[in-house]
Amino acid sequence: MAADPAPPAPARPARGQSAPGGARIDRPIVLVGLMGVGKSTVGRRLAQRLGLPFVDADDEIVAAAGMPITEIFERYGEPYFRDGERRVIARLIDGTPKVIATGGGAFMNAATRALILDKAIAIWLDADVDTLVARVKRRETRPLLKGRDPRAVLTALAAERNPVYALAPIRIRSNASPHQQTVRAILKALNA
């Protein structure tokens, strides 16, 4: 008796092929923005809509280091983590179309930022501090918030980082609405 054939794999756009809505995706899409803005959640959903692979740079750093990010910060400090982050993102931006969610500080590194702006489609997910505070309170794994007031930290980070995130050619507001609305806004911007 013959085995049933495997179900067909989901259609994925070939390099340079038009994705849903007509966007031509010929390189990685990189999501940047503050912690809690939804880069990972939105990234997964965006990748699914586009039929592209999704990669979370933080997950790749954890896999490469063999320890959680909080432990990397505690043992080796933030500069060590940022160097590893830079190397991982450089490896991920290999010209292959995919969606990459970065950590909140990744785009602050000049070399990483230049690589993203040159070799990828950079999208800044932006949200107000109230939205970010509500989201980050759901997870206890953010080393920059450990033992600190999330509102104060996020307000300071926004003041420092938002002018740099603004270098991304696409800016999408992420608010308290469902992440699917953010995905739709990204698809619209990609098709513009």
Side-chain angles (χ1 to χ4, degrees):
M1 178 183 231
D4 289 337
R12 293 182 180 237
R15 185 179 186 94
Q17 179 179 334
S18 293
R24 289 193 65 76
I25 309 300
D26 62 353
R27 54 195 164 145
I29 296 170
V30 179
L31 303 179
V32 302
L34 287 171
M35 69 177 92
V37 77
K39 296 181 298 287
S40 296
T41 304
V42 168
R44 276 186 198 89
R45 292 177 182 181
L46 178 64
Q48 183 178 24
R49 286 287 303 272
L50 292 172
L52 295 173
F54 171 75
V55 184
D56 188 312
D58 283 351
D59 291 346
E60 294 293 313
I61 293 164
V62 168
M67 67 181 77
I69 290 173
T70 52
E71 191 174 335
I72 297 169
F73 266 74
E74 288 169 4
R75 280 188 176 185
Y76 304 107
E78 187 176 358
Y80 179 88
F81 170 79
R82 296 295 174 202
D83 184 57
E85 179 179 58
R86 177 190 55 75
R87 287 183 277 124
V88 164
I89 291 171
R91 176 176 50 83
L92 294 175
I93 297 178
D94 60 2
T96 305
K98 63 181 76 114
V99 177
I100 303 169
T102 63
F107 203 63
M108 301 308 292
N109 177 284
T112 300
R113 184 171 56 253
L115 178 67
I116 291 169
L117 292 173
D118 186 45
K119 303 287 185 188
I121 301 167
I123 299 174
W124 172 25
L125 296 184
D126 185 20
D128 61 66
V129 172
D130 288 337
T131 300
L132 297 172
V133 169
R135 289 178 181 170
V136 300
K137 285 184 175 181
R138 298 178 201 152
R139 290 180 45 198
E140 299 288 326
T141 59
R142 307 209 186 251
L144 293 179
L145 297 179
K146 192 171 184 174
R148 300 172 70 193
D149 173 39
R151 180 171 302 283
V153 171
L154 288 164
T155 299
L157 286 174
E160 172 191 345
R161 294 180 178 179
N162 284 356
V164 178
Y165 294 146
L167 297 172
I170 299 173
R171 176 185 181 189
I172 302 294
R173 291 289 297 168
S174 175
N175 52 41
S177 62
H179 287 302
Q180 202 57 40
Q181 287 185 6
T182 305
V183 171
R184 282 194 293 273
I186 293 170
L187 291 171
K188 184 178 179 182
L190 289 171
N191 288 318

